Amino acid sequence: MRRNQVAVVGAAETTELGIIPNMSQIQLHADAALNAIADAGLKLSDIDGIATAVETPQQIAHYLGITPTWVDGTSVGGCSFMLHVRHAAAAIEAGLCKTVLITHAESGKSMIGKLPRSIPADSLQGQFEAPFGVYGPPSMFPIPVLRYMKTYGITHEQIAMVAVVQREWAAKNPRATMKDPITVADVLNSRMIAYPFRLLQCCLVTDGGGALILTSADRAKDFPRKPVYILGTGESVETPMVSQMETFNSSRAFKVAGPTAFKEAGITHKDVDHLMIYDAFAHLPLYGLGDLGFMPHEETGKFIADGNTRPGGKLPLNTNGGGLSYMHSGMYGMYALQESVRQMRGIAPAQVKDAKISVCHGVGGMFAASGTIIFTNER
Amino acid sequence: MAEPARAKPKPTPETQYFWDGTQAGELRLQRCDACANVYFPPRPFCPSCGSRKVSVFKASGKGKLYSYVINHRPAAPGFTPPYAIAVVELDEGPRMMSNIIDCPQTPEALELDMKLEVAFEKLDDKITLPMFRPAKG
C-alpha cells in the first residue's frame, strides 16, 4: 500500500471507560461512533464504509442507521481494528468508499448485551485444548512464557517491571483505571492467577469502546482535527490454538505483521518516536520488541527493566498505561490505536514531545493474529 | 446435581482415528507419505505440502515438557486448582496440550524439558484423554 494516502480524521473512545452499567454493548459501539463522528465534524450520513468485530457490521450499521457501500467484519480478536485500518485504507485508495467508520465496544465487565464466547466440543480447540483445563485467556495466553524466559534468560523481575512501568504512564492519565504506583515486589506478591503470572501481570476487565474515522489524505486537510496519516500497515494470523504455535520463543504472526508495516512505511526502528504493543499480559511487550525487530529477544527484559520504556525513556511504550493499567474491555487493540492517534495529534495526557512516528502493534487471540499500523503526523 | 465435568471432546470424521487410538491405549499421529512431515492436530492432508496421501501411525508416547502454566483461577469445570496446563513436545516433533499426572503441580517439580511419557485417562466409554507423566528411568 502507498504511504500517507489515507488519514484518521476522527477518533474517540466511549464517553465513559471502566464500569458502565447503564449501557449495553451495542450502545457502547454507538456512543463511541457518535463521539468519533462529532470529533470529525461529520454527520452519520457521511459514513459510507463500516468495519467492526465480534458484533457484525450489519448489527452496527443498522443500529446507527448507516447504509455502507463497503463492509469489513474481520474478527480475529483484539487486533481486528488494526486489520480494519489496513483494509479500510486499501478500500479508500481503491475508491470503494470515501469515509470509513471502525467501531469497537465491549461490555467486558458489566456483560450487558455481550455475545457469549463458547468453544464447540467438536472444534479442534474443543477436542485438543479445552479438555486440559484451559479456561479463559489467563490460563492460555501465558502458556508460552516459561519457555521464552528459559530460552532468552528473562527473569520474573524483568517481566514484573512491564507492569510497574506501565503504571507510571497510567498515573499521568486521568482516564486510566489504575493509577497508584506499584513496585516489582507488589507485582510478585499479587494474587497468583496462572503461574508464572500474577494479578498485576494480567489485563484489567472493563467496559468501553472506541471508534475511528478514516478518509483520503487529500480530503483530510479539510477536517477540524490534525490529520494522522497511515504510513505503513501489516497483518497476519497463525493459529487459534496456543499449543500449536510454531515456537514459544516468538510469534509468527508478529514477525509477519510488524516487519511488513515497517517495510511499507520505509522507516527504521530509530525513526520510531512512540510505540504501542498490545499488552493483554505482561510478556507481550517483550515478544513485540523482539519480533518487531527493535532488539534481540535476549535484550527485551533488560531493556524494559532498565527503564527505557518509562516516562522520559528513549522508547516510550504503552503511554496510556496499556491493557494492564489503562483499560481492557476484551479487545484492547482499539485503545492502542486511540493512544497512537492522540500522540500523533499531540493531545495525549502523557504526550511524547515532538513525536512524529507512532507504531501500534496488536495481537488477537492468544498469539493467533496480529496487526501493525504505523502512523505519522507529517505528510 | 452432578459435579461440573471436564470439557469433553467430541470427535469429528477427521479426528476419530486419534480418539479411537487413545481408547486402544495408543497415541496416534499422522505422517505425510509424500514429504514425511509428522503433524498434529489431525487432518486428512499434510499442512506442509498439501498432499492427501497421509498415514496414521502409533507414536512412541514419549516427549518432553515444552512449557506450561499452573492455573489457579478461574479453574475450569472438573479441575481443582492449582493444576498445570502443559504443552508437551513429542519425540516425533509435534506438540500437544495435556496435563501432567503423577507429579506435584509446582514450579519446582515441573521442570522444562523434563522427559514425559503418555498415560491414558478414561473419561467415559467413548473418550479417553492422553495425559503425560514423568518418564520412568
Side-chain angles (χ1 to χ4, degrees):
Chain A
M1 208 160 59
R2 292 187 305 150
R3 294 164 201 157
N4 296 346
Q5 300 303 304
V6 171
V8 175
V9 294
E13 294 170 346
T14 43
T15 309
E16 305 288 331
L17 286 181
I19 300 174
I20 312 173
N22 60 339
M23 264 189 218
S24 68
Q25 183 158 299
I26 193 171
Q27 180 55 31
L28 291 169
H29 276 264
D31 183 49
L34 294 172
N35 285 345
I37 288 167
D39 183 65
L42 291 174
K43 303 186 297 296
L44 268 171
S45 56
D46 294 322
I47 305 297
D48 63 355
I50 189 158
T52 194
V54 180
E55 297 282 356
T56 59
Q58 59 266 42
Q59 183 80 263
I60 302 305
H62 174 256
Y63 195 66
L64 285 169
I66 289 169
T67 305
T69 62
W70 177 85
V71 171
D72 183 10
T74 301
S75 194
V76 294
C79 65
S80 299
F81 318 102
M82 281 79 173
L83 276 68
H84 295 157
V85 168
R86 186 171 206 239
H87 303 171
I92 290 165
E93 258 223 274
L96 305 183
C97 52
K98 287 190 167 66
T99 311
V100 171
L101 169 68
I102 302 170
T103 71
H104 157 72
E106 214 159 347
S107 184
K109 178 78 172 175
S110 302
M111 308 283 276
I112 306 167
K114 184 175 156 73
L115 308 170
R117 286 191 198 177
S118 66
I119 299 171
D122 53 0
S123 65
L124 291 175
Q125 297 96 306
Q127 294 179 72
F128 300 110
E129 289 195 335
F132 305 105
V134 295
Y135 201 59
S139 66
M140 289 189 269
F141 222 149
I143 286 175
V145 75
L146 286 177
R147 171 57 54 184
Y148 185 90
M149 292 169 73
K150 179 168 178 174
T151 300
Y152 299 121
I154 306 287
T155 68
H156 291 281
E157 288 75 14
Q158 287 172 341
I159 299 184
M161 270 300 280
V162 172
V164 171
V165 168
Q166 290 191 197
R167 188 61 65 84
E168 292 177 11
W169 285 110
K172 297 172 175 292
N173 191 334
R175 270 164 72 89
T177 304
M178 307 294 276
K179 292 191 267 289
D180 294 338
I182 52 173
T183 65
V184 167
D186 291 335
V187 176
L188 296 179
N189 290 319
S190 61
R191 196 169 74 199
M192 188 65 86
I193 300 295
Y195 174 85
F197 279 1
R198 293 170 181 271
L199 183 67
L200 294 175
Q201 291 163 307
C202 303
C203 64
L204 304 164
V205 180
T206 56
D207 304 323
L212 295 170
I213 295 173
L214 276 66
T215 194
S216 67
D218 291 338
R219 287 180 70 208
K221 61 182 183 306
D222 301 328
F223 282 76
R225 305 282 183 208
K226 182 176 179 177
V228 177
Y229 302 101
I230 314 294
L231 184 60
T233 63
E235 67 186 291
S236 193
V237 293
E238 183 175 359
T239 167
M241 303 171 76
V242 67
S243 63
Q244 299 306 314
M245 289 172 69
E246 201 168 75
T247 169
F248 284 176
N249 295 324
S250 164
S251 158
R252 195 182 79 196
F254 283 17
K255 282 173 73 173
V256 174
T260 301
F262 272 82
K263 191 174 173 204
E264 203 171 274
I267 62 164
T268 65
H269 296 84
K270 65 175 175 5
D271 297 323
V272 177
D273 301 309
H274 171 251
L275 177 61
M276 298 297 290
I277 299 175
Y278 188 139
D279 58 322
F281 293 88
H283 56 325
L284 289 169
L286 279 65
Y287 278 81
L289 287 171
D291 286 336
L292 266 59
F294 282 93
M295 64 203 66
H297 282 287
E298 286 84 349
E299 295 170 18
T300 56
K302 186 174 186 302
F303 185 79
I304 289 174
D306 285 350
N308 290 298
T309 61
R310 68 166 31 136
K314 65 180 173 193
L315 184 58
L317 170 66
N318 292 344
T319 50
N320 57 354
L324 298 178
S325 286
Y326 180 59
M327 79 88 65
H328 195 293
S329 54
M331 298 171 75
Y332 167 82
M334 174 57 81
Y335 309 97
L337 290 165
Q338 295 285 337
E339 175 65 7
S340 280
V341 170
R342 285 191 294 263
Q343 289 285 349
M344 292 296 92
R345 287 176 168 185
I347 58 164
Q351 181 62 42
V352 175
K353 197 166 173 284
D354 299 329
K356 294 183 176 64
I357 290 178
S358 174
V359 173
C360 191
H361 179 72
V363 68
M366 320 299 143
F367 291 114
S370 185
T372 311
I373 303 296
I374 303 179
F375 294 103
T376 183
N377 48 22
E378 290 186 331
R379 193 181 182 198
Chain B
M1 214 170 82
E3 290 286 306
R6 177 193 278 257
K8 196 187 298 176
K10 185 177 169 191
T12 62
E14 297 83 23
T15 65
Q16 190 64 53
Y17 82 85
F18 180 87
W19 298 111
D20 288 346
T22 55
Q23 240 185 331
E26 293 185 0
L27 187 68
R28 294 177 184 166
L29 294 174
Q30 288 168 311
R31 181 186 288 117
C32 176
D33 296 341
C35 77
N37 176 42
V38 178
Y39 62 89
F40 178 85
R43 66 209 97 164
F45 60 92
C46 172
S48 180
C49 76
S51 169
R52 291 174 187 259
K53 292 200 172 82
V54 299
S55 305
V56 172
F57 70 100
K58 181 188 169 185
S60 67
K62 295 185 187 311
K64 60 184 184 177
L65 182 56
Y66 185 57
S67 200
Y68 66 93
V69 294
I70 303 172
N71 197 39
H72 286 244
R73 67 176 70 199
F79 284 80
T80 307
Y83 61 93
I85 304 167
V87 174
V88 178
E89 185 166 287
L90 301 172
D91 282 2
E92 290 82 3
R95 298 189 196 113
M96 58 190 296
M97 188 174 281
S98 189
N99 300 121
I100 310 300
I101 60 170
D102 301 338
C103 180
Q105 305 291 288
T106 63
E108 295 72 29
L110 293 162
E111 224 176 304
L112 290 198
D113 300 315
M114 69 193 281
K115 288 186 174 165
L116 301 168
E117 61 187 25
V118 73
F120 295 99
E121 194 165 300
K122 188 173 170 174
L123 279 192
D124 62 20
D125 288 345
K126 284 183 179 157
I127 293 293
T128 294
L129 292 179
M131 311 293 256
F132 285 80
R133 64 180 165 223
K136 295 188 186 76

